[in-house]
């Protein structure tokens, strides 16, 4: 690649300075409606992108039974990651206790817990309801659908090296949704009816349902081996999925070898990787992006087009002074991108405000706890969209600057 | 900002130039619509030669072809027929970008209405063509300051056009036209918007700017302006009459 000459670089810098000065002048003059319209148009478009991305992430997060402190989610390849209730009937992993034990011996892994999910009838006194029963190997920090498992006895005592003859803790943590449904509180004894037997569980804690995007989910979390015993699945030692917490990115390869037909999904906070696991969320995000780019481009092209048409003499003067086509194009592009970036910045703030307002007001109207989620990475994404809007507008604006005879403008 | 100039070559040499507007439709849409515009002959069989050091006036009533001739000499337009040579370069044979480069290097243009960039200071306006030359900022600044000194605007360098009088703005425009040290300076009605005293000062600046290797062309209706030139070319109905 040929090196850029110092003279060319100085010209580039000089043109950018002139562009910045002209842009500043546009905001200072009395008639600045067009320029403000451009900024507002981009801000609106970018705000749409941020809100839609927030909704997409929220949608994508609905399928998880995990919280942001879990980094990987291992599911069977044909399993459905779309929503939590559906995942109850997904294919199962076998021999999950030994696998979890092997995984936790890896220094890079903080914990690895299988999760078994089943809809189970729980009753207390005269109340009988179906709730989602989740069986896990509790670790400090592990949350299932926002329900903290730290009050359960650590490990899985009843498993007892595969004998299923260890101590039966009978402990259960309820989400507030489940507690309300069953009219239960801490200390209440619940009776669970399984395939082969009926067992009792004592409620150790009732916690907030957590931020799952599904509202107040009725869920009870118990030890995995006790759920397996209730369901009669001890022999196969099955679970629907694994949750893995780690501080090391490189552990993914290790997780992918655990089961031959499994998918490892990243659920790390601050990433959008999870989006790709939900077609609906991805479709929403892509649609939002397209709408925003089209809307923003139309705004900028129209308003900046009027601005450039009004500045015909300026472009004619630069042409007469000997400014090359590339320098004039750079002047247009730099001003346009300056405007779209400013609009993008305002759009991020606007989008974030809309998400905050929606999350505050929506639960009062519809049964959800979170409509959309804002992530810091959205700022970079939104500014990228703003630049894209600018780049899409530039060709039309360049065509406008080249239209007409410069001599007509300067002698009029 | 050429060096080692050839003072033997005429600055401008036009041979039997003709400029006709209208006629066959141009542009894709117009071609589909089959529009044909009436033709107007703005210049017809005009020849002239301007040597370095000359100050030449172009006079004629409105519609006589003065502006068309200036546009051809400034390489802003090309003739329908004939040839325009500016510093030996045949502008009809040059591409649009080559003509733009020719203007940057060798032609300074002054307009009746100044056409300064409103957001820039007087100094920045003067230095504008030097940006395209890729000169370092200190050099641009020094050269613009020198030119502003020469036109008597040392203390107005940081003022924007809105803060300057009409005469001051025209002097800034002259400084901008001279900043690249062009061999051809073209002024279209340079005193048209100025009062008599200011017009006289501006005219002095222009005529003094003609040097051994630089020609100045001034188009004007004004008798006093034309009297300040070395010779006058008169146009009438697109033809040269003197």
């Amino acid at each position: 690649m040929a090196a850029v000459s110092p003279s060319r670089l100085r010209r580039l810098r000089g043109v950018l300075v002139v562009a910045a000065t002209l842009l500043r002048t546009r905001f200072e003059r009395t008639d600045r409606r067009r320029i403000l319209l451009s900024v507002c148009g981009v801000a609106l478009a970018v705000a749409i992108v941020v809100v839609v991305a927030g909704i997409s992430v929220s949608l994508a997060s609905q399928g998880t039974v995990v919280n942001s402190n879990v980094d990987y989610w291992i599911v069977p390849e044909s399993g459905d990651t779309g929503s939590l209730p559906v995942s109850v009937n997904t294919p199962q992993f076998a021999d999950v206790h030994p696998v979890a034990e092997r995984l936790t011996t890896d220094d890079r892994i903080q914990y690895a817990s299988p999760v078994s999910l089943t809809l189970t009838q729980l009753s207390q006194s005269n109340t009988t309801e179906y709730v989602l029963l989740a069986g896990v190997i509790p670790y400090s920090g592990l949350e299932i659908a926002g329900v903290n498992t730290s009050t359960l006895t650590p490990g899985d005592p009843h498993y007892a090296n595969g004998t299923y003859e260890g101590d039966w803790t009978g402990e259960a943590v309820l989400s507030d949704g489940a507690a309300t449904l069953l009219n239960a509180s801490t200390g209440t004894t619940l009776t669970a009816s399984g395939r082969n037997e009926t067992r009792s569980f004592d409620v150790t804690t009732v916690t907030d349902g957590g931020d799952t995007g599904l509202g107040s989910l009725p869920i009870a979390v118990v030890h995995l081996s006790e759920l397996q015993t209730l369901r009669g699945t001890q022999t196969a030692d099955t679970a629907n999925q694994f949750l893995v917490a780690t501080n090391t990115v490189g552990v993914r390869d290790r997780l992918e070898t655990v089961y031959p037909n499994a998918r490892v999904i990243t659920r790390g906070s601050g990433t959008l990787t999870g989006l790709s696991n939900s077609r609906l969320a991805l479709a929403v995000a892509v649609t939002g992006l397209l709408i925003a780019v089209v809307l923003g481009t139309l705004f900028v092209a129209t308003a900046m087009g009027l601005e450039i048409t009004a500045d015909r003499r300026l472009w004619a003067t630069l042409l007469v002074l000997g400014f090359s086509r590339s320098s004039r194009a750079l002047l247009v592009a730099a001003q346009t991108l300056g405007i779209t970036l400013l609009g993008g910045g305002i759009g991020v703030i606007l989008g974030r405000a809309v998400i905050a307002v929606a999350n505050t007001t929506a639960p009062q109207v519809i049964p959800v706890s979170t409509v959309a989620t804002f992530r810091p990475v959205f700022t970079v994404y939104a500014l990228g969209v703003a630049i894209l809007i600018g780049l899409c507008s530039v060709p039309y604006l360049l065509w406008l600057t080249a239209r007409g005879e410069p001599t007509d403008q300067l002698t009029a | 900002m050429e060096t080692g100039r050839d003072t033997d070559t005429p600055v401008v040499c036009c041979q039997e130039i003709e400029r006709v507007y209208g006629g066959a439709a141009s542009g894709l849409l117009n071609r589909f619509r089959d529009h044909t515009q009436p033709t107007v002959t703005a210049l017809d069989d005009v020849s002239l030669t301007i040597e370095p050091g000359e100050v030449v006036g172009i006079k004629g009533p409105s519609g006589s072809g003065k502006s068309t001739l200036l546009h051809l000499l400034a390489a802003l337009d090309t003739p329908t027929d004939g040839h325009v040579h500016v510093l030996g370069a045949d502008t009809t044979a040059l591409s649009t970008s080559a003509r733009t480069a020719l203007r940057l290097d060798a032609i300074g243009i002054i307009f009746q209405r100044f056409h300064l960039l409103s957001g820039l200071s007087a100094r920045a306006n003067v230095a504008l063509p030097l940006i395209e030359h890729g000169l370092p900022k200190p050099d641009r600044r020094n050269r613009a300051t020198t030119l502003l000194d020469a036109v008597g605007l040392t203390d107005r360098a940081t003022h924007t056009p809105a803060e300057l009088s009409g005469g001051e703005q025209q002097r800034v425009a002259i400084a901008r036209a001279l900043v690249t040290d062009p061999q051809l300076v073209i002024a279209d009605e340079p005193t048209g918007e100025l009062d008599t005293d200011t017009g006289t000062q501006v005219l002095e600046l222009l005529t003094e700017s003609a040097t051994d290797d630089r020609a100045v062309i001034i188009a004007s209706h004004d008798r006093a302006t034309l009297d300040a030139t070395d010779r006058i070319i008169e146009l009438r109905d697109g033809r040269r009459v003197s």
Side-chain angles (χ1 to χ4, degrees):
Chain A
M1 203 168 76
V4 182
S5 71
S7 161
R8 198 179 169 87
L9 275 177
R10 284 193 293 266
R11 180 162 67 94
L12 191 72
R13 209 177 304 135
V15 170
L16 289 176
V17 170
V18 172
T21 310
L22 290 176
L23 194 56
R24 196 197 66 214
T25 311
R26 289 181 196 283
F27 282 104
E28 286 173 355
R29 66 188 178 199
T30 322
D31 184 13
R32 54 188 168 219
R33 280 172 300 176
R34 287 187 295 259
I35 207 82
L36 291 178
L37 185 65
S38 291
V39 173
C40 290
V42 177
L44 182 66
V46 168
I48 289 172
V49 162
V50 170
V51 172
V52 171
I55 291 170
S56 299
V57 168
S58 188
L59 274 176
S61 304
Q62 281 182 5
T64 80
V65 290
V66 302
N67 212 337
S68 58
N69 55 350
V70 170
D71 302 299
Y72 293 101
W73 183 24
I74 310 174
V75 295
E77 200 157 51
S78 56
D80 194 327
T81 61
S83 67
L84 179 61
V86 174
S87 65
V88 169
N89 293 322
T90 58
Q92 306 271 311
F93 291 127
D95 296 325
V96 293
H97 277 95
V99 170
E101 202 174 316
R102 277 203 307 276
L103 285 174
T104 47
T105 56
D106 190 322
D107 290 342
R108 299 170 298 175
I109 294 172
Q110 287 175 296
Y111 63 77
S113 172
V115 179
S116 184
L117 296 163
T118 183
L119 276 173
T120 302
Q121 206 174 39
L122 289 181
S123 52
Q124 77 97 14
S125 301
N126 296 325
T127 309
T128 302
E129 294 289 348
Y130 275 97
V131 298
L132 189 65
L133 198 58
V136 300
I137 301 175
Y139 288 92
S140 174
L142 174 63
E143 288 184 2
I144 303 297
V147 175
N148 195 312
T149 63
S150 58
T151 56
L152 295 175
T153 302
D156 198 359
H158 183 61
Y159 175 67
N161 293 323
T163 62
Y164 289 85
E165 290 175 350
D167 291 341
W168 181 272
T169 67
E171 294 169 346
V173 182
L174 298 191
S175 69
D176 52 0
T180 306
L181 205 61
L182 294 162
N183 196 22
S185 57
T186 304
T188 302
T189 300
L190 301 170
T191 307
S193 303
R195 192 175 294 167
N196 301 322
E197 54 187 304
T198 300
R199 290 277 190 162
S200 293
F201 291 93
D202 294 325
V203 178
T204 58
T205 326
V206 175
T207 68
D208 286 341
D211 187 11
T212 65
L214 287 172
S216 188
L217 183 70
I219 183 169
V221 182
V222 299
H223 287 91
L224 176 63
S225 61
E226 295 176 11
L227 176 62
Q228 288 173 331
T229 303
L230 189 68
R231 295 181 67 194
T233 57
Q234 308 98 306
T235 315
D237 188 14
T238 58
N240 302 79
Q241 50 196 252
F242 271 87
L243 308 182
V244 180
T246 174
N247 292 322
T248 312
V249 178
V251 80
R252 187 187 175 106
D253 292 342
R254 164 92 171 90
L255 299 179
E256 281 172 341
T257 61
V258 171
Y259 287 99
N261 296 315
R263 275 192 295 162
V264 177
I265 298 165
T266 306
R267 287 289 183 188
S269 59
T271 73
L272 290 174
T273 319
L275 271 179
S276 62
N277 300 316
S278 165
R279 287 182 188 152
L280 173 64
L282 186 63
V284 169
V286 170
T287 306
L289 173 66
L290 288 176
I291 290 172
V293 170
V294 171
L295 184 72
T297 304
L298 287 176
F299 257 106
V300 174
T302 305
M304 278 298 284
L306 291 171
E307 189 78 4
I308 278 174
T309 306
D311 278 346
R312 288 185 303 267
R313 281 188 185 165
L314 167 73
W315 305 112
T317 302
L318 293 172
L319 175 66
V320 169
L321 289 178
F323 268 67
S324 63
R325 187 193 294 262
S326 59
S327 292
R328 283 177 282 138
L330 183 61
L331 267 178
V332 173
Q335 289 185 78
T336 307
L337 289 177
I339 284 167
T340 54
L341 278 174
L342 178 63
I346 295 171
V348 172
I349 296 167
L350 193 64
R352 191 168 188 175
V354 169
I355 287 174
V357 170
N359 285 339
T360 308
T361 56
Q364 296 166 13
V365 184
I366 49 175
V368 294
S369 59
T370 307
V371 175
T373 313
F374 183 85
R375 299 274 171 83
V377 74
F378 286 1
T379 306
V380 179
Y381 172 52
L383 292 180
V385 171
I387 290 172
L388 183 63
I389 289 170
L391 292 177
C392 288
S393 310
V394 162
Y396 169 68
L397 300 175
L398 291 179
W399 175 74
L400 277 182
T401 56
R403 263 180 76 198
E405 289 296 321
T407 52
D408 293 344
Q409 307 307 326
L410 298 173
T411 52
Chain B
M1 307 249 297
E2 298 291 318
T3 54
R5 290 164 169 178
D6 176 8
T7 52
D8 296 332
T9 307
V11 177
V12 171
C13 180
C14 299
Q15 299 160 338
E16 299 168 349
I17 55 172
E18 183 183 69
R19 183 64 174 100
V20 179
Y21 293 107
S26 60
L28 191 62
L29 285 178
N30 284 338
R31 254 176 258 154
F32 276 112
R33 289 175 189 147
D34 195 25
H35 278 186
T36 310
Q37 297 167 338
T39 58
V40 176
T41 303
L43 282 178
D44 185 14
D45 196 25
V46 174
S47 296
L48 59 92
T49 301
I50 298 172
E51 300 292 341
E54 277 195 299
V55 180
V56 177
I58 297 178
K59 79 168 190 179
S62 293
S64 62
K66 290 195 306 291
S67 292
T68 303
L69 180 59
L70 289 189
H71 296 157
L72 292 174
L73 301 183
L76 288 167
D77 196 4
T78 52
T80 313
D81 200 7
H83 293 275
V84 177
H85 290 88
V86 177
L87 300 165
D90 184 355
T91 61
T92 53
L94 297 177
S95 65
T96 306
S97 55
R99 283 190 278 125
T100 304
L102 177 68
R103 277 195 302 279
L104 179 69
D105 289 334
I107 305 173
I109 303 173
I110 298 155
F111 307 99
Q112 180 177 352
R113 291 185 182 166
F114 329 128
H115 294 307
L116 301 176
L117 271 62
S118 58
L120 305 184
S121 67
R123 181 159 45 216
N125 262 290
V126 173
L128 205 53
L130 301 178
I131 289 175
E132 193 62 17
H133 271 287
L135 255 62
K137 192 177 176 184
D139 293 357
R140 296 200 303 258
R141 192 181 168 87
N142 291 341
R143 180 110 184 100
T145 304
T146 305
L147 264 296
L148 283 173
D149 289 347
V151 298
L153 290 177
T154 311
D155 56 343
R156 310 291 273 170
T158 56
H159 290 66
T160 60
E163 297 165 337
L164 301 174
S165 69
E168 288 173 328
Q169 287 189 57
Q170 192 59 299
R171 282 191 276 167
V172 172
I174 291 171
R176 184 179 66 184
L178 298 176
V179 77
T180 56
D181 196 17
Q183 286 176 272
L184 174 61
V185 174
I186 297 173
D188 189 5
E189 299 282 6
T191 58
E193 301 255 321
L194 308 176
D195 61 66
T196 310
D197 289 344
T198 311
T200 306
Q201 291 169 16
V202 165
L203 199 55
E204 280 174 11
L205 278 172
L206 272 176
T207 52
E208 285 167 7
S209 71
T211 56
D212 287 345
D213 60 355
R214 177 186 295 150
V216 177
I217 302 172
I218 304 172
S220 181
H221 286 100
D222 182 45
R223 176 94 194 179
T225 302
L226 293 168
D227 284 347
T229 61
D230 299 333
R231 64 185 171 101
I232 297 171
I233 293 170
E234 185 173 359
L235 297 175
R236 196 176 296 275
D237 297 329
R239 298 184 76 90
R240 184 174 175 181
V241 293
S242 70

